[in-house]
Every structure is written in structure tokens, then in C-alpha cells.
Amino acid sequence: MPNELLDTFITGLYVKIDDEITETRWLGRPPQLSDSELVCLAVAQALLGFAS
């Protein structure tokens, strides 16, 4: 059950971040992660206590 709650939370977090980040910008080759995905990963890591 806790994994389902975490999955739901991370999905909601991604949706909120994706709604807030409206402009994508990059030079050179296309990124492998979108800005929203990268920010969501960073926030999730911080919330789960991973320092690096």
C-alpha cells in the first residue's frame, strides 16, 4: 500500500510541476528528460531523503 501512495504522490507532483513549467528551452541535441521530469525527480529525491 505505501508504494501505491508514493506513486500517486509522485504522479500528482509531476502534473503540478508540468503545469507550472510552460516553456521548454534547450540548445544542441534534445534532452533525454524534460524540464518537468528533472525537477520532479529532484524534488522526490529531496523528499525521500537522498542527498545526491
Side-chain angles (χ1 to χ4, degrees):
M1 184 71 147
N3 286 336
E4 293 173 4
L5 184 61
L6 182 61
D7 290 347
T8 302
F9 175 75
I10 298 297
T11 301
L13 178 65
Y14 170 77
V15 169
K16 177 65 175 164
I17 291 170
D18 194 50
D19 286 345
E20 296 295 324
I21 297 179
T22 57
E23 183 180 321
T24 56
R25 50 196 167 89
W26 49 274
L27 297 173
R29 63 184 179 159
Q32 293 182 352
L33 292 175
S34 70
D35 292 343
S36 301
E37 291 168 330
L38 185 60
V39 172
C40 185
L41 267 173
V43 171
Q45 282 182 316
L47 289 174
L48 292 172
F50 293 98
S52 61

